[in-house]
Amino acid sequence: GAVVSQHPSRVICKSGTSVKIECRSLDFQATTMFWYRQFPKQSLMLMATSNEGSKATYEQGVEKDKFLINHASLTLSTLTVTSAHPEDSSFYICSAVLDLTLHFGNGTRLTVT
Amino acid sequence: KNEVEQSPQNLTAQEGEFITINCSYSVGISALHWLQQHPGGGIVSLFMLSSGKKKHGRLIATINIQEKHSSLHITASHPRDSAVYICAVYGATNKLIFGTGTLLAVQP
């Protein structure tokens, strides 16, 4: 069964609004989760590393004020896309590591109109 | 040039064929992952390798650290194997670096 649950799977929002994506580890505690972004026909790009109880570590070029990450508990990390623009439309996916194995959420397809 | 290169980018095979997907990388690594991404976007980890060879069912993964090369083989391919296969490596920064993927279509 799923080890990492991501919600929602699809979301359509209007420009200027904010969207929150949740990533939950099921039946295990994840002190670290990873958020990726994938454009069509491109590889995954790491956006940030989410650390429970502390600030997220953002990759170069990723705006931390635009992509807010909160890892308030050992089983939940959230990514909020603030003031979304059409260019933020993409596939966002989270992952966590359990027993040296990568586990991914099913991803969230965000469309900003 | 990408740090992780995969070939081929696209592959069409007939059901039953033996399939090989290649991954070459240019950085020092601690481990390499093979991932499978389904059409809906979900990703499943197939293998993690740091040396040698691993087998799981019809899938075989090999890695040659000296040559900085890994291969994923699928024996007796089936249409349900159709997916994007992604090679990813843990580099010196201990962050995953992804290849661009190989789109595999297995026709019945």
Side-chain angles (χ1 to χ4, degrees):
Chain A
V3 179
V4 174
S5 173
Q6 188 172 340
H7 179 81
S9 57
R10 286 182 181 273
V11 58
I12 300 172
C13 70
K14 293 186 177 180
S15 286
T17 61
S18 295
V19 173
K20 180 185 282 188
I21 302 169
E22 293 187 348
C23 182
R24 294 182 184 272
S25 57
L26 305 179
D27 299 325
F28 75 101
Q29 295 177 337
T31 55
T32 303
M33 292 186 180
F34 304 93
W35 286 97
Y36 303 91
R37 183 175 183 175
Q38 185 179 35
F39 289 107
K41 301 191 178 183
Q42 294 189 23
S43 61
L44 284 82
M45 296 293 293
L46 178 66
M47 297 176 66
T49 302
S50 174
N51 304 298
E52 188 271 333
S54 64
K55 292 182 179 179
T57 305
Y58 289 82
E59 295 302 300
Q60 192 172 10
V62 178
E63 298 177 59
K64 61 182 180 182
D65 294 329
K66 180 164 185 63
F67 298 100
L68 298 178
I69 290 172
N70 186 288
H71 196 149
S73 77
L74 287 169
T75 59
L76 174 65
S77 175
T78 61
L79 168 67
T80 301
V81 183
T82 63
S83 188
H85 287 274
E87 56 264 32
D88 298 325
S89 298
S90 189
F91 186 70
Y92 295 86
I93 193 164
C94 66
S95 76
V97 178
L98 175 63
D99 297 335
L100 299 180
T101 300
L102 285 170
H103 296 276
F104 290 85
N106 282 332
T108 298
R109 191 160 301 282
L110 171 63
T111 303
V112 184
T113 60
Chain B
K1 184 169 167 45
N2 292 333
E3 292 172 298
V4 181
E5 296 273 359
Q6 285 185 237
S7 64
Q9 288 188 323
N10 295 280
L11 179 58
T12 300
Q14 294 296 314
E15 183 172 357
E17 285 186 0
F18 180 84
I19 290 165
T20 296
I21 300 171
N22 296 298
C23 174
S24 296
Y25 51 91
S26 57
V27 296
I29 70 167
S30 56
L32 179 146
H33 288 265
W34 280 103
L35 309 171
Q36 180 191 54
Q37 185 169 27
H38 297 286
I43 297 175
V44 174
S45 176
L46 300 175
F47 295 103
M48 184 184 76
L49 293 164
S50 54
S51 65
K53 176 181 175 179
K54 286 190 176 179
K55 184 177 188 294
H56 186 242
R58 294 181 294 108
L59 302 178
I60 303 166
T62 63
I63 188 168
N64 185 318
I65 298 294
Q66 287 75 29
E67 295 186 2
K68 296 187 174 180
H69 181 270
S70 176
S71 292
L72 176 68
H73 306 286
I74 304 175
T75 61
S77 60
H78 190 276
R80 64 175 175 267
D81 298 325
S82 299
V84 175
Y85 291 83
I86 302 169
C87 170
V89 302
Y90 276 114
T93 58
N94 218 30
K95 294 174 183 172
L96 272 179
I97 307 168
F98 294 86
T100 51
T102 295
L103 176 60
L104 171 66
V106 181
Q107 297 177 341

